Amino acid sequence: MTDLTDLEREHMRQAVDRALQARKESGKAGIAAAILLDGQEIGRGENEVRLQSDPTKHAEMVALTEAAQKLGTTDLSSCVMISTLQPCEMCLSAMRFAGIKRVIFGATQAKVDGKYFVFPRLTLEDFQSSGEAFDAIGGVFEEELLPLYEDGDE
C-alpha cells in the first residue's frame, strides 16, 4: 500500500466536505465520490439512490459514469477513485470493470452499519486478489465521517 499524494488528500478532503454538506440537505445521503486522472477531478458524484429512485446511483457509480462520459471511454485504468465510504460490492465490481487500480476511501466497512454492504463476506481483499493489482487505502478522515454512516439512518 502506498501513501496518498497531496492532490489525493486534497480531493478526499473536498469529498468529505461534500458528504457532510449533502447530509445536511434534505433527502441526500452523505456519501461523495470523485474520479481523478493525473490529479485532476474528471468525475464527481453524491449518492442519488433515494433522489432518483435508482438503486445503482451510488456516489461511486455516478462519478464513474461522469468520468467515462467525459473521457469517451469505459477504460478508466489511469484513474483513481476517491470515496467517503468504502465502496460496496457493486461499486467495487464496476471499478474493476473500468480498470481502476487505486481506491482511497474514508469510513471502513468494519465500522459502519451493515446496510451498506449486501454481501458482507465478499471483502475488499477479494477484489484485491482477483487478478491485476488493486491498491486500496482506507480510513482517511474516518473519525470525521463515521457519524454519517454508523447507524445507516440517512
Side-chain angles (χ1 to χ4, degrees):
M1 180 168 60
T2 58
D3 292 327
L4 270 61
T5 68
D6 290 341
L7 283 172
E8 289 170 338
R9 184 170 294 285
E10 178 183 324
H11 284 285
M12 183 65 189
R13 175 77 254 162
Q14 291 171 9
V16 169
D17 292 344
R18 288 195 337 266
L20 293 169
Q21 183 60 38
R23 185 63 183 264
K24 290 178 186 176
E25 296 175 10
S26 176
K28 287 189 175 181
I31 304 169
I35 303 290
L36 308 181
L37 176 62
D38 298 326
Q40 299 296 311
E41 184 178 284
I42 61 164
R44 172 188 282 204
E46 282 85 33
N47 186 302
E48 299 177 8
V49 169
R50 282 209 238 145
L51 294 174
Q52 302 293 329
S53 296
D54 183 341
T56 68
K57 293 291 186 184
H58 291 198
E60 298 90 344
M61 300 294 277
V62 173
L64 283 166
T65 298
E66 186 175 300
Q69 288 175 346
K70 187 174 281 183
L71 293 178
T73 182
T74 58
D75 179 3
L76 303 179
S77 58
S78 297
C79 298
V80 174
M81 169 69 77
I82 302 280
S83 181
T84 57
L85 178 61
Q86 181 176 325
C88 73
E89 309 88 350
M90 175 181 68
C91 295
L92 283 167
S93 293
M95 290 167 48
R96 297 302 279 162
F97 275 105
I100 290 180
K101 298 177 187 80
R102 183 172 170 86
V103 60
I104 299 161
F105 58 91
T108 56
Q109 180 176 358
K111 295 183 180 176
V112 300
D113 188 79
K115 84 167 209 166
Y116 296 106
F117 299 88
V118 178
F119 303 103
R121 290 189 294 188
L122 185 59
T123 67
L124 182 60
E125 290 75 23
D126 293 321
F127 288 90
Q128 289 176 298
S129 65
S130 62
E132 199 171 350
F134 185 65
D135 190 22
I137 301 172
V140 181
F141 300 114
E142 184 171 46
E143 292 305 315
E144 188 174 352
L145 289 163
L146 283 177
L148 295 178
Y149 315 125
E150 64 191 351
D151 62 7
D153 183 30
E154 56 209 24

